[in-house]
mmCIF file of all heavy atoms in Angstrom:
data_model
loop_
_atom_site.group_PDB
_atom_site.id
_atom_site.type_symbol
_atom_site.label_atom_id
_atom_site.label_comp_id
_atom_site.label_asym_id
_atom_site.label_seq_id
_atom_site.Cartn_x
_atom_site.Cartn_y
_atom_site.Cartn_z
ATOM 1 N N ILE S 32 -98.306 16.061 -100.658
ATOM 2 C CA ILE S 32 -98.052 17.338 -101.500
ATOM 3 C C ILE S 32 -98.477 16.877 -102.827
ATOM 4 O O ILE S 32 -97.810 15.906 -103.481
ATOM 5 C CB ILE S 32 -96.639 17.732 -101.437
ATOM 6 C CG1 ILE S 32 -96.173 18.053 -99.940
ATOM 7 C CG2 ILE S 32 -96.279 18.904 -102.301
ATOM 8 C CD1 ILE S 32 -94.739 18.235 -99.754
ATOM 9 N N ASN S 34 -99.334 16.932 -107.020
ATOM 10 C CA ASN S 34 -99.288 17.535 -108.411
ATOM 11 C C ASN S 34 -98.156 18.563 -108.642
ATOM 12 O O ASN S 34 -98.354 19.615 -109.219
ATOM 13 C CB ASN S 34 -100.582 18.060 -108.802
ATOM 14 C CG ASN S 34 -100.843 18.366 -110.204
ATOM 15 O OD1 ASN S 34 -100.115 17.664 -111.060
ATOM 16 N ND2 ASN S 34 -101.549 19.346 -110.651
ATOM 17 N N GLY S 35 -97.050 18.372 -108.024
ATOM 18 C CA GLY S 35 -95.891 19.255 -108.220
ATOM 19 C C GLY S 35 -94.792 18.766 -109.137
ATOM 20 O O GLY S 35 -94.970 17.542 -109.655
ATOM 21 N N LEU S 36 -93.972 19.540 -109.680
ATOM 22 C CA LEU S 36 -92.905 19.127 -110.505
ATOM 23 C C LEU S 36 -91.812 18.761 -109.456
ATOM 24 O O LEU S 36 -91.208 19.630 -108.793
ATOM 25 C CB LEU S 36 -92.395 20.266 -111.385
ATOM 26 C CG LEU S 36 -91.077 20.117 -112.127
ATOM 27 C CD1 LEU S 36 -91.173 18.907 -113.006
ATOM 28 C CD2 LEU S 36 -90.978 21.314 -113.137
ATOM 29 N N VAL S 37 -91.445 17.441 -109.298
ATOM 30 C CA VAL S 37 -90.769 16.977 -108.205
ATOM 31 C C VAL S 37 -89.347 16.649 -108.639
ATOM 32 O O VAL S 37 -89.062 15.904 -109.491
ATOM 33 C CB VAL S 37 -91.406 15.743 -107.603
ATOM 34 C CG1 VAL S 37 -90.361 15.185 -106.473
ATOM 35 C CG2 VAL S 37 -92.680 15.962 -107.005
ATOM 36 N N LEU S 38 -88.336 17.424 -108.017
ATOM 37 C CA LEU S 38 -86.895 17.104 -108.308
ATOM 38 C C LEU S 38 -86.502 16.202 -107.082
ATOM 39 O O LEU S 38 -86.257 16.707 -105.989
ATOM 40 C CB LEU S 38 -86.120 18.429 -108.212
ATOM 41 C CG LEU S 38 -86.599 19.663 -109.065
ATOM 42 C CD1 LEU S 38 -85.489 20.742 -108.950
ATOM 43 C CD2 LEU S 38 -86.730 19.158 -110.500
ATOM 44 N N VAL S 46 -86.650 13.359 -112.216
ATOM 45 C CA VAL S 46 -87.556 14.547 -112.170
ATOM 46 C C VAL S 46 -88.924 13.998 -112.754
ATOM 47 O O VAL S 46 -89.128 13.305 -113.588
ATOM 48 C CB VAL S 46 -87.156 15.658 -113.195
ATOM 49 C CG1 VAL S 46 -88.112 16.803 -113.168
ATOM 50 C CG2 VAL S 46 -85.792 16.162 -112.846
ATOM 51 N N ALA S 77 -99.493 21.518 -104.975
ATOM 52 C CA ALA S 77 -98.162 21.974 -105.468
ATOM 53 C C ALA S 77 -98.243 22.296 -106.927
ATOM 54 O O ALA S 77 -97.231 22.568 -107.623
ATOM 55 C CB ALA S 77 -97.064 20.849 -105.218
ATOM 56 N N SER S 78 -99.500 22.379 -107.522
ATOM 57 C CA SER S 78 -99.542 22.670 -108.928
ATOM 58 C C SER S 78 -99.017 23.954 -109.332
ATOM 59 O O SER S 78 -99.255 25.053 -108.634
ATOM 60 C CB SER S 78 -101.028 22.550 -109.470
ATOM 61 O OG SER S 78 -101.836 23.401 -108.570
ATOM 62 N N GLY S 79 -98.113 23.979 -110.420
ATOM 63 C CA GLY S 79 -97.480 25.223 -110.780
ATOM 64 C C GLY S 79 -96.205 25.427 -110.035
ATOM 65 O O GLY S 79 -95.517 26.460 -110.320
ATOM 66 N N GLY S 80 -95.831 24.493 -109.195
ATOM 67 C CA GLY S 80 -94.685 24.733 -108.400
ATOM 68 C C GLY S 80 -93.632 23.534 -108.425
ATOM 69 O O GLY S 80 -93.839 22.597 -109.176
ATOM 70 N N ILE S 81 -92.534 23.755 -107.912
ATOM 71 C CA ILE S 81 -91.433 22.758 -107.833
ATOM 72 C C ILE S 81 -91.163 22.234 -106.416
ATOM 73 O O ILE S 81 -91.150 23.096 -105.468
ATOM 74 C CB ILE S 81 -90.168 23.472 -108.229
ATOM 75 C CG1 ILE S 81 -90.260 23.921 -109.741
ATOM 76 C CG2 ILE S 81 -88.931 22.530 -108.165
ATOM 77 C CD1 ILE S 81 -89.040 24.780 -110.275
ATOM 78 N N VAL S 82 -91.213 21.034 -106.292
ATOM 79 C CA VAL S 82 -90.913 20.348 -104.941
ATOM 80 C C VAL S 82 -89.617 19.745 -104.947
ATOM 81 O O VAL S 82 -89.246 19.012 -105.866
ATOM 82 C CB VAL S 82 -92.062 19.148 -104.811
ATOM 83 C CG1 VAL S 82 -91.818 18.470 -103.272
ATOM 84 C CG2 VAL S 82 -93.372 19.661 -104.981
ATOM 85 N N MET S 83 -88.788 20.224 -103.864
ATOM 86 C CA MET S 83 -87.391 19.648 -103.841
ATOM 87 C C MET S 83 -87.010 19.333 -102.393
ATOM 88 O O MET S 83 -87.759 19.727 -101.511
ATOM 89 C CB MET S 83 -86.520 20.644 -104.607
ATOM 90 C CG MET S 83 -86.416 22.036 -103.759
ATOM 91 S SD MET S 83 -85.294 23.232 -104.535
ATOM 92 C CE MET S 83 -83.755 22.476 -104.045
ATOM 93 N N PRO S 84 -85.937 18.727 -102.212
ATOM 94 C CA PRO S 84 -85.450 18.463 -100.839
ATOM 95 C C PRO S 84 -85.162 19.803 -100.226
ATOM 96 O O PRO S 84 -84.735 20.772 -100.857
ATOM 97 C CB PRO S 84 -84.252 17.633 -101.066
ATOM 98 C CG PRO S 84 -84.150 17.124 -102.379
ATOM 99 C CD PRO S 84 -84.963 18.221 -103.231
ATOM 100 N N VAL S 366 -77.770 22.666 -107.943
ATOM 101 C CA VAL S 366 -78.992 22.156 -107.157
ATOM 102 C C VAL S 366 -78.514 20.906 -106.379
ATOM 103 O O VAL S 366 -78.815 20.764 -105.153
ATOM 104 C CB VAL S 366 -80.207 21.934 -107.982
ATOM 105 C CG1 VAL S 366 -81.377 21.308 -107.134
ATOM 106 C CG2 VAL S 366 -80.659 23.187 -108.718
ATOM 107 N N LEU S 386 -85.547 13.331 -102.013
ATOM 108 C CA LEU S 386 -86.863 12.892 -101.787
ATOM 109 C C LEU S 386 -87.040 11.496 -102.222
ATOM 110 O O LEU S 386 -87.514 11.145 -103.377
ATOM 111 C CB LEU S 386 -87.880 13.842 -102.499
ATOM 112 C CG LEU S 386 -87.808 15.356 -102.133
ATOM 113 C CD1 LEU S 386 -88.745 16.159 -102.824
ATOM 114 C CD2 LEU S 386 -87.938 15.602 -100.702
ATOM 115 N N VAL S 394 -88.618 18.960 -96.872
ATOM 116 C CA VAL S 394 -89.261 19.185 -98.250
ATOM 117 C C VAL S 394 -89.432 20.682 -98.408
ATOM 118 O O VAL S 394 -89.992 21.426 -97.584
ATOM 119 C CB VAL S 394 -90.499 18.453 -98.422
ATOM 120 C CG1 VAL S 394 -90.997 18.482 -99.863
ATOM 121 C CG2 VAL S 394 -90.394 16.955 -97.942
ATOM 122 N N VAL S 395 -89.227 21.202 -99.498
ATOM 123 C CA VAL S 395 -89.504 22.610 -99.932
ATOM 124 C C VAL S 395 -90.403 22.637 -101.223
ATOM 125 O O VAL S 395 -90.071 21.949 -102.191
ATOM 126 C CB VAL S 395 -88.160 23.345 -100.298
ATOM 127 C CG1 VAL S 395 -88.386 24.705 -100.801
ATOM 128 C CG2 VAL S 395 -87.323 23.460 -99.001
ATOM 129 N N LEU S 396 -91.442 23.406 -101.105
ATOM 130 C CA LEU S 396 -92.250 23.721 -102.281
ATOM 131 C C LEU S 396 -91.995 25.123 -102.684
ATOM 132 O O LEU S 396 -92.233 26.079 -101.896
ATOM 133 C CB LEU S 396 -93.763 23.480 -101.959
ATOM 134 C CG LEU S 396 -94.773 23.975 -102.904
ATOM 135 C CD1 LEU S 396 -94.602 23.348 -104.356
ATOM 136 C CD2 LEU S 396 -96.196 23.790 -102.470
ATOM 137 N N ILE S 397 -91.542 25.254 -103.907
ATOM 138 C CA ILE S 397 -91.350 26.619 -104.556
ATOM 139 C C ILE S 397 -92.496 26.876 -105.457
ATOM 140 O O ILE S 397 -92.663 26.171 -106.395
ATOM 141 C CB ILE S 397 -89.991 26.553 -105.279
ATOM 142 C CG1 ILE S 397 -88.806 26.335 -104.434
ATOM 143 C CG2 ILE S 397 -89.826 28.032 -106.015
ATOM 144 C CD1 ILE S 397 -87.506 26.020 -105.137
ATOM 145 N N LYS S 398 -93.316 27.925 -105.091
ATOM 146 C CA LYS S 398 -94.501 28.060 -105.850
ATOM 147 C C LYS S 398 -95.017 29.512 -105.441
ATOM 148 O O LYS S 398 -95.012 29.879 -104.253
ATOM 149 C CB LYS S 398 -95.622 27.064 -105.329
ATOM 150 C CG LYS S 398 -97.006 27.428 -105.777
ATOM 151 C CD LYS S 398 -97.912 26.241 -105.474
ATOM 152 C CE LYS S 398 -99.364 26.773 -105.558
ATOM 153 N NZ LYS S 398 -100.417 25.693 -105.887
ATOM 154 N N ASN S 399 -95.309 30.292 -106.443
ATOM 155 C CA ASN S 399 -95.726 31.633 -106.342
ATOM 156 C C ASN S 399 -96.633 32.059 -107.532
ATOM 157 O O ASN S 399 -96.048 32.506 -108.557
ATOM 158 C CB ASN S 399 -94.492 32.519 -106.100
ATOM 159 C CG ASN S 399 -94.937 34.000 -105.812
ATOM 160 O OD1 ASN S 399 -96.098 34.315 -105.834
ATOM 161 N ND2 ASN S 399 -93.959 34.836 -105.414
ATOM 162 N N MET S 405 -92.469 32.827 -112.216
ATOM 163 C CA MET S 405 -92.715 31.415 -111.978
ATOM 164 C C MET S 405 -93.339 30.632 -112.978
ATOM 165 O O MET S 405 -93.819 29.454 -112.732
ATOM 166 C CB MET S 405 -93.448 31.280 -110.584
ATOM 167 C CG MET S 405 -92.524 31.420 -109.370
ATOM 168 S SD MET S 405 -91.066 30.392 -109.257
ATOM 169 C CE MET S 405 -91.865 28.745 -108.961
ATOM 170 N N ILE S 408 -92.270 26.980 -116.374
ATOM 171 C CA ILE S 408 -91.080 26.222 -115.932
ATOM 172 C C ILE S 408 -90.641 25.253 -116.987
ATOM 173 O O ILE S 408 -91.269 24.097 -117.069
ATOM 174 C CB ILE S 408 -91.436 25.557 -114.588
ATOM 175 C CG1 ILE S 408 -91.875 26.669 -113.579
ATOM 176 C CG2 ILE S 408 -90.289 24.784 -114.076
ATOM 177 C CD1 ILE S 408 -92.349 26.064 -112.250
ATOM 178 N N LEU S 409 -89.632 25.548 -117.790
ATOM 179 C CA LEU S 409 -89.243 24.796 -118.804
ATOM 180 C C LEU S 409 -87.885 24.016 -118.511
ATOM 181 O O LEU S 409 -87.639 22.882 -119.107
ATOM 182 C CB LEU S 409 -88.889 25.677 -120.079
ATOM 183 C CG LEU S 409 -90.154 26.570 -120.424
ATOM 184 C CD1 LEU S 409 -89.820 27.420 -121.608
ATOM 185 C CD2 LEU S 409 -91.425 25.624 -120.732
ATOM 186 N N HIS S 410 -87.154 24.466 -117.649
ATOM 187 C CA HIS S 410 -85.821 23.898 -117.208
ATOM 188 C C HIS S 410 -85.920 23.877 -115.696
ATOM 189 O O HIS S 410 -85.608 24.858 -115.038
ATOM 190 C CB HIS S 410 -84.697 24.724 -117.770
ATOM 191 C CG HIS S 410 -83.319 24.027 -117.497
ATOM 192 N ND1 HIS S 410 -82.939 23.578 -116.286
ATOM 193 C CD2 HIS S 410 -82.320 23.966 -118.425
ATOM 194 C CE1 HIS S 410 -81.680 23.128 -116.450
ATOM 195 N NE2 HIS S 410 -81.258 23.357 -117.750
ATOM 196 N N PRO S 411 -86.376 22.774 -115.054
ATOM 197 C CA PRO S 411 -86.596 22.771 -113.672
ATOM 198 C C PRO S 411 -85.365 23.230 -112.781
ATOM 199 O O PRO S 411 -85.446 24.060 -111.764
ATOM 200 C CB PRO S 411 -87.050 21.415 -113.329
ATOM 201 C CG PRO S 411 -87.472 20.765 -114.629
ATOM 202 C CD PRO S 411 -86.748 21.488 -115.685
ATOM 203 N N TYR S 412 -84.192 22.603 -113.095
ATOM 204 C CA TYR S 412 -83.047 23.030 -112.289
ATOM 205 C C TYR S 412 -82.617 24.487 -112.553
ATOM 206 O O TYR S 412 -82.314 25.265 -111.576
ATOM 207 C CB TYR S 412 -81.803 22.166 -112.709
ATOM 208 C CG TYR S 412 -81.999 20.545 -112.308
ATOM 209 C CD1 TYR S 412 -82.182 19.685 -113.311
ATOM 210 C CD2 TYR S 412 -82.089 20.238 -110.959
ATOM 211 C CE1 TYR S 412 -82.402 18.370 -113.088
ATOM 212 C CE2 TYR S 412 -82.291 18.789 -110.703
ATOM 213 C CZ TYR S 412 -82.439 17.970 -111.786
ATOM 214 O OH TYR S 412 -82.662 16.603 -111.509
ATOM 215 N N GLY S 413 -82.713 24.855 -113.822
ATOM 216 C CA GLY S 413 -82.343 26.189 -114.128
ATOM 217 C C GLY S 413 -83.397 27.187 -113.433
ATOM 218 O O GLY S 413 -83.016 28.255 -112.962
ATOM 219 N N HIS S 414 -84.634 26.777 -113.287
ATOM 220 C CA HIS S 414 -85.686 27.572 -112.676
ATOM 221 C C HIS S 414 -85.344 27.833 -111.219
ATOM 222 O O HIS S 414 -85.406 28.932 -110.655
ATOM 223 C CB HIS S 414 -87.087 27.046 -112.858
ATOM 224 C CG HIS S 414 -88.083 28.134 -112.957
ATOM 225 N ND1 HIS S 414 -88.562 28.513 -114.153
ATOM 226 C CD2 HIS S 414 -88.692 28.810 -111.926
ATOM 227 C CE1 HIS S 414 -89.403 29.473 -113.968
ATOM 228 N NE2 HIS S 414 -89.563 29.725 -112.620
ATOM 229 N N VAL S 415 -84.861 26.777 -110.488
ATOM 230 C CA VAL S 415 -84.526 26.862 -109.142
ATOM 231 C C VAL S 415 -83.285 27.828 -108.925
ATOM 232 O O VAL S 415 -83.263 28.583 -108.140
ATOM 233 C CB VAL S 415 -84.221 25.448 -108.566
ATOM 234 C CG1 VAL S 415 -83.580 25.613 -107.166
ATOM 235 C CG2 VAL S 415 -85.484 24.542 -108.389
ATOM 236 N N ALA S 416 -82.190 27.520 -109.823
ATOM 237 C CA ALA S 416 -81.004 28.290 -109.588
ATOM 238 C C ALA S 416 -81.103 29.751 -110.129
ATOM 239 O O ALA S 416 -80.495 30.656 -109.474
ATOM 240 C CB ALA S 416 -79.902 27.484 -110.378
ATOM 241 N N GLN S 418 -84.122 31.509 -111.489
ATOM 242 C CA GLN S 418 -85.485 32.252 -111.502
ATOM 243 C C GLN S 418 -85.980 32.448 -110.088
ATOM 244 O O GLN S 418 -86.534 33.505 -109.800
ATOM 245 C CB GLN S 418 -86.365 31.489 -112.463
ATOM 246 C CG GLN S 418 -85.830 31.298 -113.849
ATOM 247 C CD GLN S 418 -85.915 32.610 -114.708
ATOM 248 O OE1 GLN S 418 -86.559 33.556 -114.421
ATOM 249 N NE2 GLN S 418 -84.989 32.591 -115.689
ATOM 250 N N ALA S 419 -85.883 31.367 -109.285
ATOM 251 C CA ALA S 419 -86.749 31.420 -107.997
ATOM 252 C C ALA S 419 -85.929 32.122 -106.975
ATOM 253 O O ALA S 419 -84.711 32.354 -107.104
ATOM 254 C CB ALA S 419 -86.860 29.944 -107.458
ATOM 255 N N ASP S 423 -90.318 32.998 -103.079
ATOM 256 C CA ASP S 423 -91.074 32.016 -103.692
ATOM 257 C C ASP S 423 -91.147 30.764 -102.917
ATOM 258 O O ASP S 423 -91.913 29.808 -103.393
ATOM 259 C CB ASP S 423 -90.486 31.727 -105.146
ATOM 260 C CG ASP S 423 -90.368 32.963 -106.001
ATOM 261 O OD1 ASP S 423 -91.367 33.797 -105.959
ATOM 262 O OD2 ASP S 423 -89.399 33.172 -106.623
ATOM 263 N N HIS S 425 -92.816 28.560 -100.864
ATOM 264 C CA HIS S 425 -94.214 28.504 -100.341
ATOM 265 C C HIS S 425 -94.484 27.706 -99.163
ATOM 266 O O HIS S 425 -95.195 28.129 -98.238
ATOM 267 C CB HIS S 425 -95.015 28.029 -101.562
ATOM 268 C CG HIS S 425 -96.572 27.777 -101.486
ATOM 269 N ND1 HIS S 425 -97.025 26.733 -100.681
ATOM 270 C CD2 HIS S 425 -97.517 28.456 -101.958
ATOM 271 C CE1 HIS S 425 -98.336 26.856 -100.643
ATOM 272 N NE2 HIS S 425 -98.604 27.876 -101.484
ATOM 273 N N THR S 426 -93.849 26.545 -99.092
ATOM 274 C CA THR S 426 -94.048 25.526 -97.950
ATOM 275 C C THR S 426 -92.727 24.857 -97.696
ATOM 276 O O THR S 426 -92.038 24.596 -98.621
ATOM 277 C CB THR S 426 -95.143 24.546 -98.344
ATOM 278 O OG1 THR S 426 -96.455 25.268 -98.639
ATOM 279 C CG2 THR S 426 -95.399 23.525 -97.292
#
Side-chain angles (χ1 to χ4, degrees):
I32 302 169
N34 197 30
L36 174 52
V37 179
L38 308 186
V46 177
S78 54
I81 296 171
V82 184
M83 65 179 284
V366 176
L386 302 179
V394 188
V395 171
L396 169 59
I397 299 165
K398 165 173 164 151
N399 185 350
M405 279 307 292
I408 298 173
L409 305 177
H410 187 312
Y412 297 110
H414 214 96
V415 170
Q418 304 289 334
D423 302 319
H425 177 284
T426 294

